Amino acid sequence: MCARAGRSRAADVPTTLIDGIKTNYEVIGNGPPLLMYAPAGFDATLDKWKTQGVYARIKLLDHLPKKYSCIVFDRRETGQSGGRVERITWAHYVAQGKGLLEHLKFKRAHLMGGCMGCCPVVAFGVAHPEMVMSMILYWPVGGAKYRISTHKRFADHLAYVEQRGLAGVVSLVMQEGKAFNAEPRGGPWASVIKSDRAFADAYSKLDAGKYTQLVADMCRTLFDRDTSPGAEPDDLLRCEIPALVVPGRDVSHATSAARYLEECLPKAEYWDVLPEAQTEQTAPARLLEFLDRAGDRRGTTAI
């Protein structure tokens, strides 16, 4: 279906095409590569590492770049990255990160995910373990309330498609300008609709019936469990990549989801600290200590 790339938010922000879709990214700092899948669900833009919830408080990008090359990017369908209307799976998000590492000529990297970004990180580790030096899973999404609320978000979008059609979705997004997280009626491609008029025009002409089935299937397969999604437990149990799991504690980041990942990943460390004790003084130091130890296992080599 329709595929277009969005416009850069600034002329000096680098971009690259991955599978025909533009990725907006930045590399901050120097040292071994750390690929960072942003938090904020379906608004996972690179700036969320500085502005979103706990991440604004712990200020990772004030500390991690002192020792690591932090690769931050707008996930596809968010921010100024492009998108394509297709049944997106975790493998699509893995492919974006893998393509970005290849573009930057890194054979291996540390991976970090925040919030829903944890899902493609574990999927990446299962699919390409030879490329992953370690995984940091910060506030993984999951829990029954998270699954229920996410399914409702998709249902609200599809109800609006039924009422107003895809042209109505485009009109709403152009008027409101909000991402899927903030306005469910705009759907998973809202950010691309907003940033790219040609994409929006093509989107409005799609077959509504086929689109509805595609979105329903996407929701069902991405959010198919009451714990942390992203990879099958049998695959996680065979994963030998060092991992650090940092728990959240709210309706979208159930502590049970973090404990599930600790249980399934054989080399997981669990930082048993309540969210309010995760501060700029404690969190960056704990993450750096983990990364330094994981990096001692083997070097990082450019392609």
Side-chain angles (χ1 to χ4, degrees), residues 131-148:
M131 295 184 68
V132 183
M133 297 181 69
S134 72
M135 302 183 294
I136 297 175
L137 307 169
Y138 211 106
W139 281 38
V141 294
K145 292 178 180 178
Y146 174 73
R147 178 189 57 79
I148 291 167

Side-chain angles (χ1 to χ4, degrees), residues 189-212:
W189 290 274
S191 294
V192 195
I193 291 170
K194 177 185 175 184
S195 66
D196 191 324
R197 185 72 236 191
F199 179 96
D201 290 344
Y203 176 95
S204 68
K205 297 179 176 66
L206 296 173
D207 181 281
K210 292 180 180 178
Y211 175 86
T212 296

Side-chain angles (χ1 to χ4, degrees), residues 220-221 239:
R220 175 179 52 81
T221 54
C239 182

Side-chain angles (χ1 to χ4, degrees), residues 38-191:
F42 286 94
D43 193 23
T45 55
L46 58 86
D47 61 288
K48 293 301 191 297
W49 289 112
K50 295 182 178 180
T51 63
Q52 177 80 11
V54 64
Y55 307 98
R57 185 176 77 235
I58 63 178
K59 299 181 179 179
L60 294 178
L61 291 184
D62 286 352
H63 299 274
L64 300 185
K66 295 176 182 178
K67 297 187 70 174
Y68 292 87
S69 296
C70 295
I71 306 163
V72 295
F73 61 102
D74 293 346
R75 205 185 63 215
R76 54 172 290 177
E77 280 84 31
T78 73
Q80 297 302 315
S81 286
R84 178 185 296 124
V85 178
E86 59 189 338
R87 185 173 69 82
I88 299 172
T89 67
W90 300 118
H92 288 87
Y93 298 135
V94 170
Q96 183 186 20
K98 181 175 182 287
L100 185 52
L101 287 178
E102 291 170 347
H103 168 70
L104 295 170
K105 302 190 182 304
F106 289 116
K107 286 185 177 180
R108 294 188 295 272
H110 300 280
L111 268 57
M112 179 174 180
C115 183
M116 197 174 108
C118 295
C119 305
V121 167
V122 295
F124 198 130
V126 166
H128 308 288
E130 72 286 354
M131 295 184 68
V132 183
M133 297 181 69
S134 72
M135 302 183 294
I136 297 175
L137 307 169
Y138 211 106
W139 281 38
V141 294
K145 292 178 180 178
Y146 174 73
R147 178 189 57 79
I148 291 167
S149 65
T150 302
H151 280 238
K152 184 179 184 303
R153 178 177 292 113
F154 277 83
D156 288 348
H157 170 58
L158 292 180
Y160 195 77
V161 171
E162 184 176 4
Q163 294 167 4
R164 302 294 180 88
L166 293 172
V169 172
V170 171
S171 296
L172 175 72
V173 172
M174 292 302 186
Q175 178 181 355
E176 300 289 337
K178 296 179 180 178
F180 187 30
N181 271 21
E183 174 51 90
R185 295 176 299 172
W189 290 274
S191 294

Side-chain angles (χ1 to χ4, degrees), residues 210-228:
K210 292 180 180 178
Y211 175 86
T212 296
Q213 186 61 56
L214 179 152
V215 173
D217 290 344
M218 175 177 162
C219 175
R220 175 179 52 81
T221 54
L222 282 176
F223 306 102
D224 59 347
R225 61 199 69 188
D226 287 339
T227 187
S228 185

